[in-house]
Amino acid sequence: MASSILPSHNQHLMPLMDVESILHMKQGLGETSYAQNSSLQRKSMETLKNLILDTALDMYISQRPEQFTLADLGCSSGPNTLTLAGEIIKKIGGVCHKFSTPVPDFLVMLNDLPTNDFNTVFVKLPGFVEKLKDYVETDEWGNPSVFLTGVPGSFYGRLFPKKSVHFVCSCSSLHWLSQVPSGLFDETDMAINKGRMYISQTSPPSVAMAYYEQFRGDFSKFLKARSMEIVSGGRMVLSMLGRRTQDHSDRSTTLLWELLAQSLDILASHEIVDQEKLDSYNVPFYAPNMIEVEKEVCNEGSFAIDYIDIFEMDLRVSGDARKDGRVVSMAIRAIQESMLSHHFGEKTMDALFNNYTEILIQAMEREEVRSVQIGVVLRKL
């Protein structure tokens, strides 16, 4: 996998991660794959399911197009990929049947980075179609035509033709930045956030500012691209990991990163990973608060905010710290491994996540470990 030297005001020579070429969920169907370790994402999606379905239905009823086009941005490749699309089709089809109106054709566009395991997604299509047929026959609301397509590319740029999309959803993706922020190295090319891979309480203030500025630029590009693609009155439902407070080092946002950094510290202390590599590793991630999201939507100006709120999820699902710690560790591995193995080497991954699992278990035994996400509904003006 490639790395690139990204320009910054310091023109530093440290190779930075080419996120578009490297970031992807763990591929395939193996024990450590995303397909086998996406239960937390499913639970998060379930939290927003009614909001997503009601918003999609409201959009359809307001315009009743003959073809309803929906896009899932950051679709990934696990068992959750086609779930929302299927539920939206069922919801709209059921309402059409209830009021004896024609069911529209549906075009479902699945987007993720080119490195996404689209093959795993497409393998699931026959089963997806069969489930829809079973539902149609049970509910007797006709036989809708459903067309699906994969759209590889970064959602920070254009993906679809102008004014072609009615509804967009993006779940658990927009906290990923287009690149590691510039400004995390000083004028001598030294890392300024040593020993930490994200914002922490001991990070210099310039680290939080660098991450915030990267988020602002990326989210603005996202909104501008969607403003060209979504029809007037179209809707977007977005969810992303976030934080409740103004504090960038809010523990609910930073804890899992800090524990992962501790796990790497252990490897560095045993000279399994190089300390300089550890100091130079920064994640392309940012968890905004609601004010920051609202501000960028208002600044871009193409969308109105119909709804915004915060949702919390306790990651101690079963109450068994050892079981829950392993579930969370496997989920983090499925998401993070592509970036970590690129930087530290594939051979270190088992040792790293063995450490991480044990540290997570200890954390879950002594405190709440929660996930905070922001859900927002935007309407195209």
Side-chain angles (χ1 to χ4, degrees), residues 53-98:
L53 297 184
D54 290 345
T55 303
L57 178 60
D58 182 61
M59 167 58 216
Y60 171 73
I61 291 173
S62 70
Q63 297 193 10
R64 294 191 179 274
E66 292 185 356
Q67 174 187 294
F68 187 78
T69 302
L70 60 124
D72 183 350
L73 308 186
C75 66
S76 192
S77 59
N80 307 321
T81 299
L82 294 166
T83 300
L84 282 178
E87 293 294 330
I88 290 169
I89 291 168
K90 291 175 187 177
K91 184 86 169 181
I92 293 174
V95 168
C96 290
H97 170 64
K98 180 179 179 180

Side-chain angles (χ1 to χ4, degrees), residues 123-157:
V123 165
K124 295 185 177 74
L125 291 184
F128 172 75
V129 172
E130 286 303 313
K131 285 183 180 179
L132 281 179
K133 286 181 178 178
D134 290 344
Y135 183 84
V136 166
E137 290 173 2
T138 301
D139 202 48
E140 298 179 349
W141 51 261
N143 190 15
S145 294
V146 180
F147 304 89
L148 296 105
T149 183
V151 185
S154 170
F155 54 43
Y156 291 120

Side-chain angles (χ1 to χ4, degrees), residues 259 262-263 266 355-363 366:
L259 299 182
Q262 290 176 27
S263 305
I266 294 171
N355 291 338
Y356 190 51
T357 299
E358 293 305 315
I359 292 174
L360 260 174
I361 290 168
Q362 294 169 19
R366 67 174 182 264

